[in-house]
């Protein structure tokens, strides 16, 4: 077991940029992150919501997967990508660990105001699972899924919840309150990574089980150490 790894939230702008440029930004940030860390990138950070280029985005995902896996050598990180399954597009979370893709989870709750249901096929909530890495039990909520308490209950018992997001700044307060409440309610660490585009909330953070927030809207990398003692301490009190 590797105790107390560094948790890292990536926060950068990517709307309107090329897929290749966004990959270069992701690569540059991951190269700055310590070994044996656990990192998270914002939702669809390579393509954004490219509704006019869904096929192109899916093809880029297929082509870039080997390079994404290679970026995880010596560390762990997650992001979401547009993929095509049969004839349907899905927003898939991918977790890479030590050079390999180890977990995939499709976004199950689509954001109606963003018209996601017109472009994406929803995943199956029953397929949401825990992933254990170096003794840390990890779960994932993708952006809008954060608003569903039933999903909080489903992933209760996780030591760390990853929340990749593309959350607008008009609801910045909602994002901050919900992510902090999730950490406190589930007595877990929450690692959330949000877009830094002009219309987005930023508010990427690492939140402790006690509700302590490490966040900085002016930085591309937000880092804080995961501490098993914080989880154990909080499970002994109400």
């Amino acid at each position: 077991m590797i105790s107390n790894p560094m948790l890292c939230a990536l926060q950068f702008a990517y709307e309107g940029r090329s897929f290749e440029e966004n990959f270069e930004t992701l690569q540059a940030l991951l190269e700055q992150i310590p070994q044996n860390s656990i990192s998270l990138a914002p939702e669809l950070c390579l393509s954004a919501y490219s509704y006019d280029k869904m096929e192109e985005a899916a093809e880029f995902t297929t082509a870039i997967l080997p390079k994404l896996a290679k970026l995880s050598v010596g560390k762990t990180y997650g992001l979401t990508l547009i993929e095509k399954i049969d004839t349907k597009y899905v927003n898939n979370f991918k977790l890479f660990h030590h050079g390999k893709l180890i977990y995939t989870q499709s976004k199950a709750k689509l954001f109606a105001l963003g018209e996601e249901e017109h472009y994406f096929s929803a995943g199956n909530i029953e397929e949401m699972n825990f992933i254990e890495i170096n003794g840390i039990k990890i779960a994932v909520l993708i952006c809008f899924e954060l608003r569903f308490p039933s999903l909080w209950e489903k992933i209760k018992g996780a030591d760390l919840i990853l929340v990749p997001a593309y959350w607008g700044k008009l609801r910045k307060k909602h994002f901050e309150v919900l992510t902090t409440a999730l950490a406190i309610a589930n007595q877990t660490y929450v690692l959330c990574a949000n877009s830094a585009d002009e219309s987005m909330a930023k508010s990427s953070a690492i939140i402790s089980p006690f509700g302590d927030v490490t966040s900085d809207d002016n930085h591309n990398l937000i880092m804080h150490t995961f501490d098993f003692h914080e989880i154990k301490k909080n499970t002994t009190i109400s």
Side-chain angles (χ1 to χ4, degrees), residues 18-47:
S18 71
F19 304 158
E20 292 81 6
E21 183 180 356
N22 290 332
F23 173 75
E24 290 174 3
T25 300
L26 175 69
Q27 181 178 26
L29 291 173
L30 288 173
E31 287 174 351
Q32 300 175 46
I33 288 169
Q35 292 290 295
N36 299 314
S37 56
I38 299 174
S39 304
L40 182 66
E43 184 183 23
L44 298 179
C45 68
L46 299 185
S47 63

Side-chain angles (χ1 to χ4, degrees), residues 103 105 125-131 138-140 154-155:
Y103 181 71
Q105 178 178 312
I125 291 172
E126 298 307 314
E127 294 178 0
M128 295 175 64
N129 292 306
F130 294 107
I131 321 104
I138 300 171
V140 182
K154 182 175 176 58
I155 59 175

Side-chain angles (χ1 to χ4, degrees), residues 2-202:
I2 300 171
S3 61
N4 298 344
M6 188 68 72
L7 302 179
C8 308
L10 281 58
Q11 180 174 256
F12 59 97
Y14 47 90
E15 181 73 42
R17 294 166 171 81
S18 71
F19 304 158
E20 292 81 6
E21 183 180 356
N22 290 332
F23 173 75
E24 290 174 3
T25 300
L26 175 69
Q27 181 178 26
L29 291 173
L30 288 173
E31 287 174 351
Q32 300 175 46
I33 288 169
Q35 292 290 295
N36 299 314
S37 56
I38 299 174
S39 304
L40 182 66
E43 184 183 23
L44 298 179
C45 68
L46 299 185
S47 63
Y49 278 88
S50 299
Y51 290 152
D52 59 336
K53 296 187 291 185
M54 295 289 279
E55 186 69 24
E56 182 181 341
E59 290 175 356
F60 183 77
T61 293
T62 300
I64 206 72
L65 280 174
K67 290 184 178 180
L68 291 172
K70 190 174 181 180
L71 290 180
S72 71
V73 172
K75 59 193 71 173
T76 303
Y77 79 94
L79 77 170
T80 81
L81 301 160
I82 295 174
E83 290 194 290
K84 191 174 185 180
I85 308 298
D86 297 324
T87 61
K88 298 179 179 179
Y89 298 102
V90 289
N91 183 350
N92 270 348
F93 174 82
K94 301 282 189 181
L95 190 67
F96 296 92
H97 174 69
H98 286 243
K100 296 180 180 180
L101 172 64
I102 63 168
Y103 181 71
T104 297
Q105 178 178 312
S106 298
K107 187 175 184 178
K109 296 289 189 181
L110 302 178
F111 185 45
L113 289 179
E115 299 187 336
E116 289 183 46
E117 75 276 10
H118 297 307
Y119 298 92
F120 288 107
S121 178
N124 185 349
I125 291 172
E126 298 307 314
E127 294 178 0
M128 295 175 64
N129 292 306
F130 294 107
I131 321 104
E132 188 166 322
I133 294 176
N134 298 326
I136 300 173
K137 187 183 288 188
I138 300 171
V140 182
L141 293 178
I142 303 171
C143 199
F144 185 55
E145 294 176 343
L146 182 62
R147 287 191 177 272
F148 295 84
S150 60
L151 298 184
W152 295 22
E153 189 66 27
K154 182 175 176 58
I155 59 175
K156 190 163 282 187
D159 302 313
L160 171 63
I161 299 173
L162 306 179
V163 185
Y166 190 72
W167 199 285
K169 66 180 180 181
L170 292 177
R171 296 176 177 83
K172 179 180 177 73
K173 180 75 169 180
H174 297 187
F175 187 65
E176 294 173 349
V177 169
L178 287 168
T179 50
T180 303
L182 173 61
I184 295 169
N186 282 32
Q187 298 184 343
T188 182
Y189 276 92
V190 171
L191 170 55
C192 52
N194 194 34
S195 167
D197 281 296
E198 183 63 28
S199 63
M200 293 293 110
K202 298 183 180 178

Side-chain angles (χ1 to χ4, degrees), residues 190-226:
V190 171
L191 170 55
C192 52
N194 194 34
S195 167
D197 281 296
E198 183 63 28
S199 63
M200 293 293 110
K202 298 183 180 178
S203 297
S204 302
I206 297 100
I207 307 164
S208 78
F210 205 71
D212 296 322
V213 179
T214 301
S215 183
D216 191 332
D217 284 355
N218 297 312
H219 281 76
N220 296 124
L221 286 175
I222 298 100
M223 296 190 283
H224 195 276
T225 304
F226 176 95

